[in-house]
Amino acid sequence: MRIFNGIDEVETAVGEHLGYSAWFPVTQDRIDKFADATEDHQWIHVDPERAAQGPYGGTIAHGYLTLSLLPVLGAQVMRVDGISMTVNYGSNKVRFPEPVKVASSVRAGAEILSFERTAKGATIVVRYTIEIEGAGKPALVADTVRLLVS
């Protein structure tokens, strides 16, 4: 994990890849709970028998479930100490190039794309890539905007 001691250290890391999180398992139980929370019960996510006959040979995680893993995985990649809080402000260019099949594992990598000082701290853009173990292709690429409040 890359730990920054204050906003000034974050600024020096623009363009730097920060590393990776641990591998995180994507289970059918997690997919089902996400479906319940969002009321998105499309068969490709929640019906293993029907999905086994579908294009991926089994169920796949919702794209937004994959996106929602960024807070837990991103916290394993970077932390900024010496500030009062970090706020996720939004995401730009979110893409889901590969499906995440049930029983696979994913991890996140992060790179700081930009840094801008503000009256309350700084705004940074972090490109997160969520990779599927053994797939060789990312499941998600998202440029996220985060506010660092000093």
Side-chain angles (χ1 to χ4, degrees):
M1 173 191 297
R2 178 72 183 270
I3 300 172
F4 296 98
N5 187 17
I7 290 174
D8 292 339
E9 285 188 11
V10 176
E11 185 174 19
T12 66
V14 171
E16 183 180 331
H17 192 274
L18 304 178
Y20 295 94
S21 70
W23 291 105
F24 186 91
V26 178
T27 64
Q28 188 63 53
D29 183 58
R30 182 172 303 278
I31 293 169
D32 292 343
K33 287 177 179 173
F34 188 85
D36 288 342
T38 61
E39 297 191 27
D40 180 356
H41 293 96
Q42 188 179 94
W43 64 268
I44 196 70
H45 305 303
V46 298
D47 186 340
E49 289 180 21
R50 184 173 177 193
Q53 305 307 313
Y56 305 111
T59 57
I60 60 171
H62 305 72
Y64 285 116
L65 168 56
T66 307
L67 180 64
S68 75
L69 296 176
L70 284 181
V72 69
L73 298 177
Q76 296 176 21
V77 178
M78 70 175 281
R79 185 178 83 215
V80 182
D81 291 341
I83 61 174
S84 64
M85 68 177 172
T86 300
V87 176
N88 289 323
Y89 186 68
S91 295
N92 304 326
K93 300 179 187 175
V94 176
R95 298 169 301 285
F96 305 102
E98 285 292 315
V100 176
K101 295 179 182 179
V102 68
S104 61
S105 292
V106 297
R107 71 176 181 177
E111 175 187 358
I112 298 177
L113 297 182
S114 67
F115 177 96
E116 182 179 335
R117 289 194 181 274
T118 66
K120 294 183 179 182
T123 300
I124 63 171
V125 177
V126 180
R127 173 167 292 151
Y128 286 103
T129 303
I130 292 186
E131 301 175 351
I132 306 165
E133 190 170 25
K137 296 180 182 178
L140 171 118
V141 179
D143 298 348
T144 64
V145 183
R146 300 176 75 190
L147 305 177
L148 307 178
V149 181
S150 49

Short mmCIF file of all heavy atoms in Angstrom, two decimals, residues 29-88:
data_model
loop_
_atom_site.label_atom_id
_atom_site.label_comp_id
_atom_site.label_asym_id
_atom_site.label_seq_id
_atom_site.Cartn_x
_atom_site.Cartn_y
_atom_site.Cartn_z
N ASP A 29 -23.03 -15.61 -3.80
CA ASP A 29 -23.72 -14.96 -2.69
C ASP A 29 -23.59 -13.43 -2.78
O ASP A 29 -24.57 -12.71 -2.59
CB ASP A 29 -23.16 -15.47 -1.36
CG ASP A 29 -23.89 -14.88 -0.17
OD1 ASP A 29 -25.14 -15.04 -0.07
OD2 ASP A 29 -23.22 -14.24 0.67
N ARG A 30 -22.39 -12.94 -3.08
CA ARG A 30 -22.19 -11.49 -3.21
C ARG A 30 -23.01 -10.94 -4.37
O ARG A 30 -23.63 -9.88 -4.28
CB ARG A 30 -20.71 -11.18 -3.40
CG ARG A 30 -20.41 -9.69 -3.50
CD ARG A 30 -18.93 -9.38 -3.48
NE ARG A 30 -18.27 -9.92 -2.30
CZ ARG A 30 -18.26 -9.33 -1.10
NH1 ARG A 30 -18.89 -8.18 -0.93
NH2 ARG A 30 -17.63 -9.88 -0.10
N ILE A 31 -23.01 -11.66 -5.50
CA ILE A 31 -23.80 -11.22 -6.66
C ILE A 31 -25.28 -11.19 -6.31
O ILE A 31 -25.99 -10.22 -6.64
CB ILE A 31 -23.52 -12.15 -7.87
CG1 ILE A 31 -22.08 -11.97 -8.34
CG2 ILE A 31 -24.51 -11.89 -8.99
CD1 ILE A 31 -21.62 -13.02 -9.35
N ASP A 32 -25.77 -12.23 -5.62
CA ASP A 32 -27.19 -12.28 -5.24
C ASP A 32 -27.55 -11.13 -4.30
O ASP A 32 -28.62 -10.51 -4.44
CB ASP A 32 -27.52 -13.61 -4.58
CG ASP A 32 -27.47 -14.78 -5.55
OD1 ASP A 32 -27.49 -14.56 -6.79
OD2 ASP A 32 -27.39 -15.93 -5.06
N LYS A 33 -26.68 -10.84 -3.34
CA LYS A 33 -26.95 -9.73 -2.41
C LYS A 33 -26.96 -8.39 -3.13
O LYS A 33 -27.76 -7.52 -2.83
CB LYS A 33 -25.94 -9.74 -1.27
CG LYS A 33 -26.18 -10.87 -0.29
CD LYS A 33 -25.14 -10.91 0.80
CE LYS A 33 -25.44 -12.06 1.77
NZ LYS A 33 -24.36 -12.25 2.75
N PHE A 34 -26.06 -8.23 -4.11
CA PHE A 34 -26.06 -6.99 -4.89
C PHE A 34 -27.35 -6.89 -5.70
O PHE A 34 -27.97 -5.82 -5.79
CB PHE A 34 -24.83 -6.94 -5.81
CG PHE A 34 -24.66 -5.61 -6.50
CD1 PHE A 34 -24.01 -4.58 -5.86
CD2 PHE A 34 -25.16 -5.40 -7.76
CE1 PHE A 34 -23.84 -3.35 -6.48
CE2 PHE A 34 -25.01 -4.18 -8.40
CZ PHE A 34 -24.35 -3.15 -7.76
N ALA A 35 -27.78 -8.00 -6.28
CA ALA A 35 -29.04 -8.02 -7.03
C ALA A 35 -30.20 -7.63 -6.13
O ALA A 35 -31.08 -6.85 -6.53
CB ALA A 35 -29.28 -9.40 -7.63
N ASP A 36 -30.22 -8.14 -4.90
CA ASP A 36 -31.29 -7.78 -3.95
C ASP A 36 -31.23 -6.29 -3.60
O ASP A 36 -32.26 -5.63 -3.53
CB ASP A 36 -31.19 -8.61 -2.67
CG ASP A 36 -31.58 -10.06 -2.89
OD1 ASP A 36 -32.25 -10.37 -3.90
OD2 ASP A 36 -31.21 -10.88 -2.03
N ALA A 37 -30.03 -5.77 -3.39
CA ALA A 37 -29.88 -4.37 -3.01
C ALA A 37 -30.30 -3.43 -4.13
O ALA A 37 -30.85 -2.35 -3.87
CB ALA A 37 -28.44 -4.07 -2.59
N THR A 38 -30.06 -3.82 -5.38
CA THR A 38 -30.35 -2.94 -6.51
C THR A 38 -31.62 -3.33 -7.27
O THR A 38 -32.03 -2.62 -8.19
CB THR A 38 -29.18 -2.96 -7.51
OG1 THR A 38 -29.00 -4.30 -7.99
CG2 THR A 38 -27.90 -2.44 -6.87
N GLU A 39 -32.20 -4.47 -6.88
CA GLU A 39 -33.37 -5.02 -7.56
C GLU A 39 -33.11 -5.32 -9.03
O GLU A 39 -34.01 -5.28 -9.86
CB GLU A 39 -34.60 -4.13 -7.36
CG GLU A 39 -34.98 -4.03 -5.89
CD GLU A 39 -36.32 -3.39 -5.64
OE1 GLU A 39 -37.20 -3.46 -6.51
OE2 GLU A 39 -36.49 -2.85 -4.54
N ASP A 40 -31.86 -5.63 -9.34
CA ASP A 40 -31.47 -6.04 -10.69
C ASP A 40 -31.26 -7.54 -10.67
O ASP A 40 -30.16 -8.03 -10.38
CB ASP A 40 -30.19 -5.31 -11.12
CG ASP A 40 -29.73 -5.70 -12.52
OD1 ASP A 40 -30.35 -6.59 -13.14
OD2 ASP A 40 -28.73 -5.12 -12.98
N HIS A 41 -32.32 -8.30 -10.96
CA HIS A 41 -32.28 -9.75 -10.89
C HIS A 41 -32.22 -10.40 -12.28
O HIS A 41 -32.79 -11.48 -12.50
CB HIS A 41 -33.50 -10.27 -10.11
CG HIS A 41 -33.47 -9.88 -8.68
ND1 HIS A 41 -34.13 -8.78 -8.20
CD2 HIS A 41 -32.83 -10.43 -7.62
CE1 HIS A 41 -33.91 -8.68 -6.89
NE2 HIS A 41 -33.11 -9.67 -6.52
N GLN A 42 -31.52 -9.77 -13.20
CA GLN A 42 -31.39 -10.33 -14.54
C GLN A 42 -30.78 -11.73 -14.45
O GLN A 42 -29.83 -11.96 -13.68
CB GLN A 42 -30.53 -9.40 -15.40
CG GLN A 42 -30.49 -9.81 -16.85
CD GLN A 42 -29.65 -8.87 -17.67
OE1 GLN A 42 -28.49 -9.14 -17.86
NE2 GLN A 42 -30.25 -7.79 -18.14
N TRP A 43 -31.28 -12.64 -15.23
CA TRP A 43 -30.88 -14.05 -15.15
C TRP A 43 -29.38 -14.26 -15.31
O TRP A 43 -28.82 -15.18 -14.71
CB TRP A 43 -31.65 -14.89 -16.17
CG TRP A 43 -31.37 -14.54 -17.61
CD1 TRP A 43 -32.06 -13.64 -18.37
CD2 TRP A 43 -30.33 -15.06 -18.43
NE1 TRP A 43 -31.51 -13.56 -19.63
CE2 TRP A 43 -30.44 -14.43 -19.69
CE3 TRP A 43 -29.32 -15.98 -18.24
CZ2 TRP A 43 -29.58 -14.70 -20.76
CZ3 TRP A 43 -28.44 -16.26 -19.30
CH2 TRP A 43 -28.59 -15.62 -20.54
N ILE A 44 -28.71 -13.45 -16.09
CA ILE A 44 -27.28 -13.65 -16.33
C ILE A 44 -26.48 -13.48 -15.02
O ILE A 44 -25.36 -13.96 -14.90
CB ILE A 44 -26.75 -12.70 -17.44
CG1 ILE A 44 -25.39 -13.17 -17.96
CG2 ILE A 44 -26.68 -11.26 -16.96
CD1 ILE A 44 -25.42 -14.42 -18.76
N HIS A 45 -27.11 -12.82 -14.02
CA HIS A 45 -26.45 -12.62 -12.73
C HIS A 45 -26.91 -13.62 -11.67
O HIS A 45 -26.10 -14.05 -10.85
CB HIS A 45 -26.74 -11.21 -12.21
CG HIS A 45 -26.36 -10.12 -13.15
ND1 HIS A 45 -25.10 -9.97 -13.66
CD2 HIS A 45 -27.10 -9.10 -13.68
CE1 HIS A 45 -25.07 -8.92 -14.47
NE2 HIS A 45 -26.27 -8.38 -14.50
N VAL A 46 -28.19 -13.98 -11.67
CA VAL A 46 -28.73 -14.70 -10.51
C VAL A 46 -29.30 -16.10 -10.79
O VAL A 46 -29.73 -16.77 -9.86
CB VAL A 46 -29.82 -13.84 -9.81
CG1 VAL A 46 -29.23 -12.55 -9.29
CG2 VAL A 46 -31.01 -13.59 -10.73
N ASP A 47 -29.30 -16.53 -12.02
CA ASP A 47 -29.86 -17.85 -12.35
C ASP A 47 -28.74 -18.74 -12.90
O ASP A 47 -28.51 -18.80 -14.12
CB ASP A 47 -30.99 -17.70 -13.37
CG ASP A 47 -31.72 -19.00 -13.65
OD1 ASP A 47 -31.16 -20.09 -13.37
OD2 ASP A 47 -32.84 -18.93 -14.18
N PRO A 48 -28.03 -19.46 -12.01
CA PRO A 48 -26.89 -20.27 -12.46
C PRO A 48 -27.24 -21.30 -13.53
O PRO A 48 -26.44 -21.54 -14.45
CB PRO A 48 -26.39 -20.94 -11.18
CG PRO A 48 -26.81 -20.02 -10.09
CD PRO A 48 -28.14 -19.46 -10.54
N GLU A 49 -28.40 -21.92 -13.44
CA GLU A 49 -28.78 -22.94 -14.43
C GLU A 49 -28.97 -22.33 -15.81
O GLU A 49 -28.44 -22.83 -16.80
CB GLU A 49 -30.04 -23.68 -13.98
CG GLU A 49 -29.78 -24.60 -12.80
CD GLU A 49 -31.03 -25.33 -12.36
OE1 GLU A 49 -31.99 -25.46 -13.17
OE2 GLU A 49 -31.05 -25.79 -11.20
N ARG A 50 -29.73 -21.26 -15.88
CA ARG A 50 -29.95 -20.61 -17.18
C ARG A 50 -28.66 -19.98 -17.70
O ARG A 50 -28.34 -20.08 -18.88
CB ARG A 50 -31.05 -19.55 -17.05
CG ARG A 50 -31.40 -18.92 -18.37
CD ARG A 50 -32.60 -18.01 -18.26
NE ARG A 50 -32.85 -17.37 -19.53
CZ ARG A 50 -33.66 -16.34 -19.69
NH1 ARG A 50 -34.33 -15.85 -18.65
NH2 ARG A 50 -33.83 -15.80 -20.87
N ALA A 51 -27.90 -19.35 -16.79
CA ALA A 51 -26.66 -18.69 -17.20
C ALA A 51 -25.63 -19.70 -17.71
O ALA A 51 -24.80 -19.36 -18.56
CB ALA A 51 -26.09 -17.88 -16.04
N ALA A 52 -25.69 -20.93 -17.22
CA ALA A 52 -24.76 -21.97 -17.69
C ALA A 52 -24.94 -22.21 -19.19
O ALA A 52 -23.99 -22.60 -19.87
CB ALA A 52 -24.98 -23.26 -16.91
N GLN A 53 -26.13 -21.96 -19.70
CA GLN A 53 -26.41 -22.12 -21.13
C GLN A 53 -26.18 -20.83 -21.91
O GLN A 53 -26.30 -20.81 -23.13
CB GLN A 53 -27.87 -22.57 -21.33
CG GLN A 53 -28.24 -23.83 -20.56
CD GLN A 53 -27.30 -24.99 -20.81
OE1 GLN A 53 -26.96 -25.28 -21.95
NE2 GLN A 53 -26.84 -25.64 -19.75
N GLY A 54 -25.86 -19.76 -21.20
CA GLY A 54 -25.67 -18.46 -21.83
C GLY A 54 -24.27 -18.24 -22.38
O GLY A 54 -23.45 -19.15 -22.42
N PRO A 55 -23.99 -17.02 -22.79
CA PRO A 55 -22.73 -16.72 -23.49
C PRO A 55 -21.47 -16.84 -22.64
O PRO A 55 -20.37 -16.94 -23.19
CB PRO A 55 -22.93 -15.29 -23.97
CG PRO A 55 -23.93 -14.70 -23.03
CD PRO A 55 -24.84 -15.84 -22.66
N TYR A 56 -21.58 -16.83 -21.30
CA TYR A 56 -20.40 -16.86 -20.44
C TYR A 56 -20.23 -18.18 -19.69
O TYR A 56 -19.31 -18.34 -18.91
CB TYR A 56 -20.43 -15.70 -19.46
CG TYR A 56 -20.59 -14.38 -20.16
CD1 TYR A 56 -21.77 -13.64 -20.05
CD2 TYR A 56 -19.57 -13.88 -20.97
CE1 TYR A 56 -21.93 -12.44 -20.73
CE2 TYR A 56 -19.73 -12.68 -21.65
CZ TYR A 56 -20.91 -11.97 -21.53
OH TYR A 56 -21.06 -10.78 -22.19
N GLY A 57 -21.16 -19.11 -19.90
CA GLY A 57 -21.05 -20.42 -19.26
C GLY A 57 -21.36 -20.42 -17.78
O GLY A 57 -21.10 -21.39 -17.08
N GLY A 58 -21.92 -19.35 -17.30
CA GLY A 58 -22.28 -19.23 -15.88
C GLY A 58 -22.66 -17.80 -15.58
O GLY A 58 -22.64 -16.93 -16.46
N THR A 59 -22.98 -17.53 -14.33
CA THR A 59 -23.37 -16.17 -13.95
C THR A 59 -22.15 -15.25 -13.95
O THR A 59 -21.01 -15.67 -13.83
CB THR A 59 -24.04 -16.14 -12.57
OG1 THR A 59 -23.16 -16.71 -11.61
CG2 THR A 59 -25.37 -16.88 -12.58
N ILE A 60 -22.45 -13.96 -14.11
CA ILE A 60 -21.43 -12.92 -14.07
C ILE A 60 -21.88 -11.83 -13.10
O ILE A 60 -23.07 -11.65 -12.86
CB ILE A 60 -21.15 -12.31 -15.46
CG1 ILE A 60 -22.41 -11.66 -16.04
CG2 ILE A 60 -20.56 -13.35 -16.40
CD1 ILE A 60 -22.18 -10.85 -17.30
N ALA A 61 -20.92 -11.13 -12.56
CA ALA A 61 -21.21 -10.01 -11.66
C ALA A 61 -21.78 -8.85 -12.46
O ALA A 61 -21.45 -8.65 -13.64
CB ALA A 61 -19.94 -9.56 -10.95
N HIS A 62 -22.63 -8.08 -11.82
CA HIS A 62 -23.11 -6.83 -12.41
C HIS A 62 -21.91 -5.91 -12.63
O HIS A 62 -20.98 -5.88 -11.81
CB HIS A 62 -24.06 -6.11 -11.45
CG HIS A 62 -25.23 -6.92 -10.98
ND1 HIS A 62 -25.11 -7.97 -10.08
CD2 HIS A 62 -26.54 -6.80 -11.26
CE1 HIS A 62 -26.31 -8.46 -9.85
NE2 HIS A 62 -27.20 -7.79 -10.55
N GLY A 63 -21.93 -5.13 -13.69
CA GLY A 63 -20.87 -4.15 -13.89
C GLY A 63 -20.77 -3.19 -12.72
O GLY A 63 -19.67 -2.87 -12.25
N TYR A 64 -21.91 -2.77 -12.21
CA TYR A 64 -21.89 -1.83 -11.09
C TYR A 64 -21.45 -2.48 -9.78
O TYR A 64 -20.93 -1.80 -8.90
CB TYR A 64 -23.25 -1.13 -10.93
CG TYR A 64 -23.45 -0.09 -12.00
CD1 TYR A 64 -24.46 -0.21 -12.93
CD2 TYR A 64 -22.60 1.01 -12.09
CE1 TYR A 64 -24.63 0.74 -13.94
CE2 TYR A 64 -22.76 1.96 -13.08
CZ TYR A 64 -23.78 1.82 -14.00
OH TYR A 64 -23.94 2.76 -14.99
N LEU A 65 -21.59 -3.79 -9.66
CA LEU A 65 -21.00 -4.48 -8.52
C LEU A 65 -19.48 -4.37 -8.61
O LEU A 65 -18.80 -4.06 -7.63
CB LEU A 65 -21.43 -5.94 -8.48
CG LEU A 65 -20.66 -6.86 -7.51
CD1 LEU A 65 -20.69 -6.34 -6.08
CD2 LEU A 65 -21.19 -8.27 -7.57
N THR A 66 -18.94 -4.60 -9.79
CA THR A 66 -17.50 -4.47 -9.99
C THR A 66 -17.04 -3.06 -9.64
O THR A 66 -16.06 -2.86 -8.91
CB THR A 66 -17.13 -4.82 -11.44
OG1 THR A 66 -17.68 -6.10 -11.77
CG2 THR A 66 -15.63 -4.84 -11.64
N LEU A 67 -17.77 -2.06 -10.10
CA LEU A 67 -17.43 -0.66 -9.79
C LEU A 67 -17.52 -0.40 -8.29
O LEU A 67 -16.68 0.30 -7.71
CB LEU A 67 -18.38 0.28 -10.54
CG LEU A 67 -18.17 1.78 -10.34
CD1 LEU A 67 -16.81 2.22 -10.88
CD2 LEU A 67 -19.29 2.56 -11.03
N SER A 68 -18.51 -1.00 -7.63
CA SER A 68 -18.70 -0.75 -6.20
C SER A 68 -17.59 -1.35 -5.33
O SER A 68 -17.50 -1.04 -4.15
CB SER A 68 -20.06 -1.26 -5.73
OG SER A 68 -20.07 -2.67 -5.64
N LEU A 69 -16.75 -2.19 -5.91
CA LEU A 69 -15.62 -2.75 -5.16
C LEU A 69 -14.45 -1.78 -5.05
O LEU A 69 -13.53 -2.01 -4.27
CB LEU A 69 -15.15 -4.05 -5.81
CG LEU A 69 -16.14 -5.21 -5.81
CD1 LEU A 69 -15.58 -6.40 -6.58
CD2 LEU A 69 -16.52 -5.61 -4.39
N LEU A 70 -14.50 -0.67 -5.78
CA LEU A 70 -13.38 0.28 -5.74
C LEU A 70 -13.07 0.81 -4.34
O LEU A 70 -11.89 0.91 -3.99
CB LEU A 70 -13.59 1.43 -6.71
CG LEU A 70 -13.35 1.09 -8.17
CD1 LEU A 70 -13.57 2.32 -9.05
CD2 LEU A 70 -11.97 0.51 -8.40
N PRO A 71 -14.05 1.16 -3.52
CA PRO A 71 -13.68 1.65 -2.18
C PRO A 71 -12.88 0.64 -1.36
O PRO A 71 -11.86 0.99 -0.76
CB PRO A 71 -15.02 1.98 -1.53
CG PRO A 71 -15.90 2.33 -2.69
CD PRO A 71 -15.48 1.37 -3.78
N VAL A 72 -13.30 -0.61 -1.35
CA VAL A 72 -12.58 -1.61 -0.53
C VAL A 72 -11.23 -1.96 -1.15
O VAL A 72 -10.22 -2.08 -0.44
CB VAL A 72 -13.44 -2.87 -0.28
CG1 VAL A 72 -13.66 -3.68 -1.54
CG2 VAL A 72 -12.81 -3.72 0.79
N LEU A 73 -11.19 -2.09 -2.46
CA LEU A 73 -9.92 -2.45 -3.11
C LEU A 73 -8.98 -1.24 -3.17
O LEU A 73 -7.77 -1.38 -2.95
CB LEU A 73 -10.18 -3.00 -4.51
CG LEU A 73 -11.01 -4.29 -4.58
CD1 LEU A 73 -11.26 -4.69 -6.02
CD2 LEU A 73 -10.35 -5.41 -3.80
N GLY A 74 -9.52 -0.07 -3.46
CA GLY A 74 -8.70 1.13 -3.53
C GLY A 74 -8.05 1.48 -2.20
O GLY A 74 -6.92 1.97 -2.16
N ALA A 75 -8.74 1.18 -1.10
CA ALA A 75 -8.17 1.45 0.23
C ALA A 75 -6.96 0.58 0.51
O ALA A 75 -6.15 0.90 1.38
CB ALA A 75 -9.24 1.24 1.30
N GLN A 76 -6.82 -0.52 -0.22
CA GLN A 76 -5.65 -1.38 -0.07
C GLN A 76 -4.47 -0.89 -0.92
O GLN A 76 -3.35 -1.37 -0.75
CB GLN A 76 -5.99 -2.81 -0.46
CG GLN A 76 -7.00 -3.48 0.41
CD GLN A 76 -7.36 -4.86 -0.10
OE1 GLN A 76 -6.62 -5.49 -0.85
NE2 GLN A 76 -8.52 -5.34 0.32
N VAL A 77 -4.74 0.02 -1.84
CA VAL A 77 -3.70 0.50 -2.74
C VAL A 77 -3.09 1.81 -2.25
O VAL A 77 -1.87 1.99 -2.30
CB VAL A 77 -4.25 0.69 -4.18
CG1 VAL A 77 -3.18 1.25 -5.11
CG2 VAL A 77 -4.80 -0.61 -4.71
N MET A 78 -3.93 2.72 -1.79
CA MET A 78 -3.40 4.02 -1.36
C MET A 78 -4.17 4.59 -0.18
O MET A 78 -5.34 4.30 0.00
CB MET A 78 -3.41 5.03 -2.51
CG MET A 78 -4.78 5.49 -2.95
SD MET A 78 -4.77 6.79 -4.21
CE MET A 78 -4.42 8.23 -3.25
N ARG A 79 -3.47 5.41 0.60
CA ARG A 79 -4.07 6.12 1.72
C ARG A 79 -3.35 7.46 1.85
O ARG A 79 -2.15 7.54 1.62
CB ARG A 79 -3.90 5.31 3.00
CG ARG A 79 -4.60 5.93 4.20
CD ARG A 79 -4.47 5.07 5.44
NE ARG A 79 -3.19 5.35 6.08
CZ ARG A 79 -2.44 4.45 6.71
NH1 ARG A 79 -2.83 3.20 6.79
NH2 ARG A 79 -1.31 4.80 7.27
N VAL A 80 -4.12 8.49 2.20
CA VAL A 80 -3.53 9.81 2.42
C VAL A 80 -3.73 10.17 3.88
O VAL A 80 -4.86 10.34 4.35
CB VAL A 80 -4.17 10.88 1.51
CG1 VAL A 80 -3.49 12.23 1.72
CG2 VAL A 80 -4.08 10.46 0.04
N ASP A 81 -2.63 10.27 4.62
CA ASP A 81 -2.68 10.67 6.01
C ASP A 81 -2.56 12.20 6.11
O ASP A 81 -2.13 12.86 5.17
CB ASP A 81 -1.54 10.02 6.80
CG ASP A 81 -1.72 8.53 6.97
OD1 ASP A 81 -2.86 8.04 6.80
OD2 ASP A 81 -0.72 7.85 7.28
N GLY A 82 -2.96 12.74 7.25
CA GLY A 82 -2.81 14.17 7.48
C GLY A 82 -3.89 15.03 6.86
O GLY A 82 -3.71 16.24 6.71
N ILE A 83 -5.01 14.41 6.48
CA ILE A 83 -6.15 15.17 5.96
C ILE A 83 -7.38 14.78 6.77
O ILE A 83 -7.39 13.76 7.46
CB ILE A 83 -6.39 14.91 4.45
CG1 ILE A 83 -6.68 13.44 4.18
CG2 ILE A 83 -5.20 15.40 3.63
CD1 ILE A 83 -7.07 13.15 2.74
N SER A 84 -8.42 15.60 6.69
CA SER A 84 -9.61 15.29 7.49
C SER A 84 -10.51 14.25 6.83
O SER A 84 -11.18 13.49 7.52
CB SER A 84 -10.40 16.57 7.79
OG SER A 84 -10.90 17.15 6.60
N MET A 85 -10.54 14.20 5.50
CA MET A 85 -11.36 13.19 4.82
C MET A 85 -11.07 13.18 3.33
O MET A 85 -10.49 14.11 2.78
CB MET A 85 -12.85 13.43 5.05
CG MET A 85 -13.41 14.65 4.40
SD MET A 85 -15.18 14.73 4.71
CE MET A 85 -15.52 16.35 4.06
N THR A 86 -11.52 12.08 2.72
CA THR A 86 -11.48 11.92 1.26
C THR A 86 -12.91 11.67 0.82
O THR A 86 -13.62 10.87 1.42
CB THR A 86 -10.60 10.73 0.85
OG1 THR A 86 -9.28 10.95 1.32
CG2 THR A 86 -10.58 10.57 -0.65
N VAL A 87 -13.34 12.36 -0.24
CA VAL A 87 -14.69 12.20 -0.75
C VAL A 87 -14.60 11.76 -2.20
O VAL A 87 -13.88 12.36 -3.00
CB VAL A 87 -15.47 13.54 -0.67
CG1 VAL A 87 -16.85 13.40 -1.29
CG2 VAL A 87 -15.56 14.02 0.76
N ASN A 88 -15.32 10.68 -2.54
CA ASN A 88 -15.43 10.28 -3.94
C ASN A 88 -16.40 11.24 -4.61
O ASN A 88 -17.58 11.29 -4.25
CB ASN A 88 -15.91 8.84 -4.07
CG ASN A 88 -14.86 7.85 -3.63
OD1 ASN A 88 -13.68 8.05 -3.87
ND2 ASN A 88 -15.29 6.80 -2.97
#
